[in-house]
Amino acid sequence: MKYFSTRNDSVKYTSAQAIAMGLAPDGGLFVPETIPAVTAEELAELCKQDYRGRAVNIMHRFLEDFTEAELREYVAHAYADNYDDAAIAPLRFTDDATAYLELWHGPTCAFKDMALQMLPYLLTASLKKTGEQRRVCILVATSGDTGKAALEGFKDVPGTKIFVFYPDGGVSRIQRLQMVTQEGENVGVCAVKGNFDDAQTGVKKIFGNAQFAAELSERGWFLSSANSINWGRLLPQIVYYFSAYCDYVNSGKIAMGDEINFCVPTGNFGNILAGWFAREMGLPVKRFLCASNANNVLTDFFNTGIYNKNRDFRMTISPSMDILVSSNLERLLYMLCGAEKTAGYMAQLSEEGRYDVGSETLERVRALFAAECCDDDKTKAEIADVWEKSGYLIDTHTAVAAASLAQYRAASGDNAPTVVVSTASPFKFAADVCSALGENDAADPLAALAARCALNIPRPLSGLDARAVRFDGVVEKQAMPETVNAFLK
Ligand SMILES: *Cc1c(COP(=O)(O)O)cnc(C)c1O
């Protein structure tokens, strides 16, 4: 199976090329030319396998230039005792029609691990398969979760280095500590004076600097990105939609073939789009509920067909969803309207900050996607509500999804069995979760939450204060290229 750019489907690439390149040369995103089908019999077989078996089976269908044995080896490393739950992505029921898919049992306690523990294997193998001789340096601008997950994924991976920029004062205390105490010989972390946008723009400028690239290339290096536009990040995420369905069937609460809904807390549209691919492959999904926080660009899009990023950016207690341009929506648009229209919408987005897909496309989108949003107060109320009613603790991002689901059910009357995709450990956002339960200004929110809810602090988050700070650098944004240059000397 080959891959195309969302903006030009006349040039084909192998899967290894798509993963090695990350972004297509015309600025588009890579998509598979066909979507492999999973039959009912094959789905029944998947139900008998563990997470690793399901991962090999699903990913192999998209990776023609990888052998099954290769994938088995990667999966054995990516989903192993780096997870603190043997099920890797367990499903927890709060009632027969509502389950939470916990995607945060990996080393950074957020769902980015599901892909970023896998991506280094796919990427380094893809570089070998495409004959790349140079070593790769992964460059990341992060608002919190991606940076740490990428550091954990790439630490000490031979032939790679990774450097992460984060906005000075713009990430949570836990997120900062997680990054500045990062271990590994090939890692670097630095704060940038400014906000996330400054860091992101600085990184984009470095990627776009041809002279800098030529200099690095002479020294045997090239730069690549680990953000969610890479197909190698999207693909591992398709697996857990199948896995959740299988576990739902195995619980006896639904029968094989019954349709379920998925409710996904959404930022860049990567997670929910992976679910859409699973459905196209044949997974019995009725609808996806796209849940947003106060940055509700997507809610408006799914309700009007107009994507409009010309609005104020809001800082919320679900910061990993604070985003105004959801890059992966481009892949859905391509699948629905083709390359030509998609290229046009993307040009409009960069020139005017908005585009309108029209009523016909909107109707097709709405047959599959519903959308809801909620603000911080509702998010906190939902955390308290779920805890009181079910004794189940959720983080702020998952709570946006849970609150959106309640709104959707009330408005639509659709009470189909639903999997809420749970994207972070409640401990990762302990201060706000504590405050949602009525405990404001706890001196040590992690300890307070553990005591109050009789839960253990996940090992990756405990003792962070005691770990040695390895990276205390802060630079002006103009100094970012020089920082990378020095890192690769
Ligand atoms: C990244 C992230 C999201 C948003 O996922 P997208 O794929 O960007 O839609 C939601 N919750 C958490 C905790 C995240 O880290």
Side-chain angles (χ1 to χ4, degrees):
M1 178 199 305
K2 298 291 189 291
Y3 289 77
F4 297 129
S5 163
T6 46
R7 300 185 196 177
N8 173 2
D9 48 19
S10 63
V11 188
K12 294 184 182 184
Y13 299 85
T14 65
S15 58
Q17 283 176 318
I19 292 169
M21 294 166 77
L23 198 65
D26 57 10
L29 277 56
F30 286 111
V31 283
E33 62 178 341
T34 53
I35 296 182
V38 173
T39 64
E41 292 74 38
E42 288 172 327
L43 188 55
E45 273 309 305
L46 279 180
C47 289
K48 298 177 194 155
Q49 298 183 23
D50 66 3
Y51 193 85
R52 285 178 281 274
R54 292 167 185 169
V56 171
N57 184 304
I58 296 299
M59 293 202 302
H60 193 228
R61 296 165 192 261
F62 288 93
L63 299 173
E64 230 168 41
D65 31 0
F66 289 71
T67 66
E68 208 174 296
E70 283 175 312
L71 292 177
R72 216 173 292 125
E73 188 200 321
Y74 309 158
V75 160
H77 288 105
Y79 307 120
D81 57 8
N82 50 344
Y83 277 72
D84 70 7
D85 191 303
I88 306 298
L91 199 59
R92 310 262 188 240
F93 290 89
T94 49
D95 60 58
D96 281 358
T98 314
Y100 288 79
L101 174 62
E102 296 183 352
L103 299 179
W104 38 263
H105 289 280
T108 76
C109 302
F111 100 100
K112 304 285 192 294
D113 288 330
M114 298 303 295
L116 279 164
Q117 286 293 298
M118 188 66 199
L119 179 67
Y121 298 99
L122 292 175
L123 181 63
T124 52
S126 295
L127 294 173
K128 277 210 187 98
K129 287 176 196 289
T130 56
E132 179 60 64
Q133 303 288 322
R134 297 167 298 174
R135 288 178 293 168
V136 62
C137 176
I138 306 294
L139 206 53
V140 181
T142 186
S143 58
D145 287 341
T146 301
K148 176 62 183 179
L151 286 163
E152 276 297 317
F154 280 94
K155 79 168 177 212
D156 294 330
V157 173
T160 75
K161 279 191 151 194
I162 172 161
F163 200 91
V164 173
F165 289 106
Y166 69 92
D168 191 24
V171 300
S172 81
R173 194 176 149 277
I174 290 177
Q175 286 173 325
R176 179 180 170 276
L177 280 174
Q178 279 188 305
M179 289 190 281
V180 298
T181 60
Q182 176 67 41
E183 294 173 352
E185 290 305 311
N186 64 337
V187 305
V189 176
C190 186
V192 180
K193 284 192 185 149
N195 57 26
F196 171 62
D197 221 30
D198 295 315
Q200 171 110 306
T201 307
V203 163
K204 279 191 182 153
K205 272 192 190 154
I206 296 175
F207 277 125
N209 185 336
Q211 196 198 330
F212 188 52
E215 281 169 31
L216 291 182
S217 189
E218 254 171 49
R219 283 158 38 201
W221 285 103
F222 77 103
L223 299 174
S224 183
S225 141
N227 67 28
S228 70
I229 54 183
N230 193 312
W231 178 251
R233 259 193 73 177
L234 203 79
L235 178 58
Q237 297 179 175
I238 298 174
V239 176
Y240 52 71
Y241 286 90
F242 279 94
S243 187
Y245 187 85
C246 288
D247 288 346
Y248 217 135
V249 170
N250 289 345
S251 77
K253 292 177 172 42
I254 59 168
M256 175 57 86
D258 288 355
E259 288 190 333
I260 64 172
N261 290 340
F262 281 95
C263 174
V264 188
T266 298
N268 215 7
F269 208 71
N271 195 350
I272 195 169
L273 185 73
W276 180 86
F277 273 102
R279 184 182 184 278
E280 290 296 297
M281 293 171 75
L283 194 69
V285 180
K286 183 176 170 195
R287 280 188 121 182
F288 293 99
L289 177 57
C290 175
S292 302
N293 63 25
N295 296 289
N296 56 359
V297 189
L298 286 168
T299 322
D300 291 347
F301 172 72
F302 284 115
N303 288 326
T304 64
I306 298 169
Y307 194 99
N308 187 352
K309 70 160 181 149
N310 301 315
R311 61 181 77 200
D312 288 338
F313 177 86
R314 306 267 182 81
M315 305 263 279
T316 73
I317 58 171
S318 45
S320 302
M321 297 156 64
D322 289 346
I323 203 160
L324 292 180
V325 177
S326 300
S327 315
N328 269 299
L329 188 62
E330 181 172 348
R331 284 192 166 107
L332 181 68
L333 292 176
Y334 168 83
M335 295 293 178
L336 295 173
C337 342
E340 201 177 316
K341 277 193 173 167
T342 303
Y345 295 145
M346 292 304 115
Q348 279 175 35
L349 182 65
S350 78
E351 281 152 28
E352 301 154 36
R354 80 192 282 284
Y355 58 85
D356 181 348
V357 297
S359 57
E360 192 243 340
T361 299
L362 177 62
E363 232 167 84
R364 288 163 64 205
V365 165
R366 281 173 62 92
L368 274 187
F369 290 91
E372 294 282 346
C373 61
C374 75
D375 63 14
D376 283 353
D377 286 344
K378 265 235 158 127
T379 305
K380 284 188 171 179
E382 187 69 21
I383 292 172
D385 199 48
V386 173
W387 174 248
E388 272 156 33
K389 286 196 181 125
S390 309
Y392 183 65
L393 192 64
I394 55 177
D395 94 293
T396 48
H397 303 77
T398 308
V400 169
S404 295
L405 177 60
Q407 285 165 207
Y408 170 74
R409 281 179 166 164
S412 68
D414 176 359
N415 285 311
T418 299
V419 171
V420 178
V421 177
S422 176
T423 51
S425 158
F427 284 94
K428 189 152 191 183
F429 300 92
D432 287 314
V433 173
C434 254
S435 137
L437 298 182
E439 201 161 327
N440 289 303
D441 307 317
D444 182 348
L446 285 169
L449 200 57
R452 188 186 178 99
C453 302
L455 293 166
N456 293 322
I457 300 172
R459 205 175 327 128
L461 299 180
S462 65
L464 270 178
D465 285 305
R467 289 182 213 169
V469 172
R470 295 183 65 204
F471 306 102
D472 54 5
V474 186
V475 296
E476 300 286 346
K477 55 186 182 214
Q478 297 81 356
M480 289 170 66
E482 181 44 41
T483 308
V484 174
N485 195 33
F487 179 64
L488 295 177
K489 280 248 161 80

